């Protein structure tokens, strides 16, 4: 306590208004404006109205915080959204909390006491919307159900009901091109660590319109220094994406597109939100196995479609297994695979130029196959939306 008192005495914030004194200690109004230079991370404890509160140093002055009604809060959300510029438009959301679909972005909210928010106890997945069809809906739906089981999240509805909700939400959005994203959470109830207090798991769905074209231009990648998730968590598509985010940021800070993870044995694993594949000089398509990483739906579909290239003689074979860094960097082509990038060629990994440093023919052929599959593939991968 003596140390704390000394800290307060030596680093006392300078108030703009002193309300009164208690036991010779200054007491400040909770909404008091003040200014002080210093580190944002430093905190000063001040006794106020019988309570101990923390003030965080900031260069910006604090102002009175208004108490808003529900309607006023919603209006402020709408005003904030109107001032935001984004290529993505949120067209519809389903929430099991209110048991229906809304098309008002201001209502697309999640309770703070949902354990997915404050504990990261949730899983998610996605599906592309292409010309009024959902691409690989069932494959992604199967994966989120597997992820929920591994995360010990009980389904709020059976698979058939989940599927129906997904399709109806896209129908209500009237979106013809974009993405469908959905989450299963341990549920709402409290701020405890355990989900015992959660009444029921929750299900959220959102439809995002995005007209951004898929880009086939080659990119640079680096080797990630961020530790990879252990297999128990790496094989689950959970909302715990901090390692993925830091890995992506690490790449962007060096002017690269993505960072590539290596597994615990030094074999090539995956990117932050995509799988990776290689084409050897012998025209063999190599892909790391999925026992330690996320089983990518796009990557698995590419493995199926690539058989056509084998039949045409463009590839001599397909292999899934351990891939060394040496094999990867000496490959003729390196390819990123995922629902967000589809098929994206890599022309440089760290300081090593891949192949001749240009986009390769197999990457382009695989991209053409995926795009054709999205446009006219079989019913097993294309589900019509009844608008």
């Amino acid at each position: 306590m003596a140390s704390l008192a000394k800290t307060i005495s030596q680093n006392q914030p300078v108030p703009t208004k002193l309300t009164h004194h208690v036991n010779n200690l200054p007491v400040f109004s909770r909404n008091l404006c003040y200014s002080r230079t210093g580190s944002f991370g430093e905190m000063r404890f001040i006794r106020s109205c019988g309570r101990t509160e923390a003030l965080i140093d900031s260069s910006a002055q604090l102002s009175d915080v208004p108490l808003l009604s529900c309607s006023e809060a919603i209006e402020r959300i709408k005003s904030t959204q109107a001032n935001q510029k984004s290529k993505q438009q949120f067209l519809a959301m389903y929430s099991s909390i209110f048991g229906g679909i809304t098309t008002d972005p201001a209502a697309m909210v999640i309770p703070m006491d949902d354990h997915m928010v404050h504990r990261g106890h949730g899983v998610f997945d996605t599906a592309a919307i292409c010309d009024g069809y959902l691409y690989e809906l069932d494959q992604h739906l199967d994966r989120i159900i597997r992820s929920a089981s591994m995360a010990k999240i009980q389904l709020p509805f059976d698979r058939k009901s989940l599927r129906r909700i997904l399709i109806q939400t896209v129908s209500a959005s009237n979106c013809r091109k974009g993405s469908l994203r959905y989450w299963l959470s341990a549920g709402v109830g409290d701020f405890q660590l355990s989900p015992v207090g959660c009444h029921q798991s929750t299900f959220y769905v959102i439809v995002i319109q995005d007209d951004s074209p898929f880009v086939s231009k080659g990119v640079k990648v680096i080797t990630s220094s961020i530790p990879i998730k252990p297999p128990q968590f790496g094989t689950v598509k959970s909302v715990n994406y901090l390692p993925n985010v830091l890995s992506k940021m690490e790449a962007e800070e060096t002017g690269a597109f993505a960072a590539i993870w290596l597994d615990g044995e030094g074999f090539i694993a995956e990117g932050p939100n995509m799988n990776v594949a290689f084409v050897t000089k012998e025209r063999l398509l190599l892909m790391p196995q999925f026992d330690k990483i996320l089983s990518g739906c796009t990557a698995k579909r590419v493995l199926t479609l690539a058989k056509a290239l084998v039949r045409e003689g463009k590839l001599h074979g397909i292999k899934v297994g351990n891939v060394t860094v040496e094999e990867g960097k000496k490959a003729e082509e390196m390819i990123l695979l995922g629902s967000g990038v589809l098929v994206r060629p890599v022309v440089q990994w760290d300081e090593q130029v891949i192949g001749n440093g240009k986009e390769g023919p197999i990457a382009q052929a695989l991209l053409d196959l995926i795009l054709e599959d999205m446009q006219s593939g079989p019913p097993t991968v294309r589900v019509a939306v009844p608008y």
Side-chain angles (χ1 to χ4, degrees):
M1 290 298 294
S3 175
L4 176 61
K6 183 179 180 181
T7 301
I8 294 175
S9 174
Q10 293 177 349
N11 300 282
Q12 188 67 50
V14 180
T16 57
K17 178 181 179 182
L18 181 65
T19 55
H20 57 279
H21 284 72
V22 178
N23 297 329
N24 295 322
L25 288 177
V27 179
F28 305 107
S29 168
R30 182 174 300 180
N31 295 325
L32 179 66
C33 297
Y34 76 99
S35 61
R36 183 186 185 280
T37 60
S39 169
F40 179 81
E42 296 178 350
M43 300 183 69
R44 310 288 177 256
F45 289 87
I46 301 173
R47 195 168 297 279
S48 174
C49 300
R51 298 177 58 186
T52 299
E53 298 184 339
L55 295 181
I56 302 178
D57 288 349
S58 173
S59 59
Q61 287 190 341
L62 298 178
S63 59
D64 288 342
V65 180
L67 180 63
L68 304 176
S69 66
C70 180
S71 60
E72 289 172 329
I74 291 175
E75 285 305 312
R76 291 201 175 195
I77 291 175
K78 290 183 177 181
S79 176
T80 300
Q81 291 173 339
N83 293 327
Q84 292 176 340
K85 294 182 179 180
S86 174
K87 294 180 180 179
Q88 296 183 337
Q89 299 295 322
F90 311 133
L91 302 184
M93 176 186 178
Y94 168 86
S95 169
S96 61
I97 298 296
F98 46 77
I101 300 169
T102 179
T103 56
D104 187 344
M108 298 178 187
V109 296
I110 298 177
M112 283 298 298
D113 63 342
D114 192 305
H115 278 231
M116 182 172 70
V117 175
H118 64 85
R119 296 300 178 187
H121 195 174
V123 295
F124 77 103
D125 224 298
T126 185
I129 306 168
C130 182
D131 294 333
Y133 284 82
L134 281 163
Y135 185 64
E136 290 203 297
L137 171 64
D138 290 297
Q139 290 79 357
H140 286 94
L141 182 55
D142 288 340
R143 186 172 64 179
I144 195 175
I145 292 174
R146 289 196 303 271
S147 294
S149 176
M150 296 174 71
K152 297 185 177 181
I153 297 174
Q154 294 186 349
L155 301 182
F157 316 108
D158 59 25
R159 185 188 187 282
K160 182 178 180 180
S161 298
L162 294 174
R163 189 178 190 271
R164 176 173 49 83
I165 291 170
L166 292 173
I167 295 173
Q168 288 185 353
T169 306
V170 178
S171 178
S173 74
N174 203 35
C175 179
R176 260 70 175 181
K177 185 178 186 300
S179 64
L180 171 70
R181 291 181 178 263
Y182 42 100
W183 296 259
L184 283 165
S185 164
V188 302
D190 54 36
F191 287 91
Q192 301 300 321
L193 182 63
S194 170
V196 170
C198 299
H199 175 67
Q200 187 181 33
S201 57
T202 48
F203 186 45
Y204 304 106
V205 183
I206 194 162
V207 178
I208 306 168
Q209 180 175 288
D210 192 343
D211 296 323
S212 302
F214 289 106
V215 182
S216 59
K217 181 177 176 58
V219 296
K220 174 186 174 181
V221 299
I222 62 171
T223 302
S224 179
S225 68
I226 306 299
I228 190 173
K229 299 176 186 176
Q232 181 180 359
F233 300 109
T235 54
V236 178
K237 197 172 179 67
S238 75
V239 298
N240 294 293
Y241 254 48
L242 183 57
N244 309 64
V245 171
L246 294 177
S247 180
K248 176 69 171 177
M249 291 177 67
E250 178 184 35
E252 292 176 338
E253 288 165 359
T254 65
F257 179 77
I260 304 300
W261 270 316
L262 308 181
D263 67 20
E265 299 177 77
F267 293 111
I268 298 170
E270 60 181 342
N273 61 341
M274 71 280 288
N275 293 101
V276 61
F278 303 88
V279 180
T280 69
K281 290 179 172 60
E282 296 76 27
R283 289 190 290 176
L284 182 69
L285 180 66
L286 294 180
M287 192 179 295
Q289 55 193 358
F290 302 119
D291 58 337
K292 300 176 184 178
I293 60 177
L294 190 66
S295 178
C297 292
T298 302
K300 292 170 70 174
R301 187 59 181 166
V302 162
L303 289 174
T304 298
L305 296 174
K307 295 176 182 178
L309 301 183
V310 176
R311 291 192 297 267
E312 296 170 6
K314 295 178 180 179
L315 284 175
H316 284 171
I318 301 170
K319 179 184 176 182
V320 177
N322 290 328
V323 183
T324 67
V325 174
E326 183 181 12
E327 287 177 310
K329 290 190 174 182
K330 287 185 176 180
E332 282 293 295
E333 295 186 46
M334 180 176 180
I335 306 167
L336 302 177
L337 305 165
S339 58
V341 296
L342 287 188
V343 178
R344 192 75 185 265
V346 175
V347 296
Q348 183 177 336
W349 182 2
D350 293 330
E351 303 306 319
Q352 177 67 49
V353 174
I354 303 299
N356 61 6
K358 299 180 180 180
E359 299 82 358
I362 299 300
Q364 185 60 55
L366 291 174
L367 178 59
D368 292 341
L369 287 172
I370 279 284
L371 292 174
E372 181 183 355
D373 202 45
M374 296 176 73
Q375 294 283 346
S376 57
T380 53
V381 296
R382 295 177 76 240
V383 176
V385 178
Y387 295 101

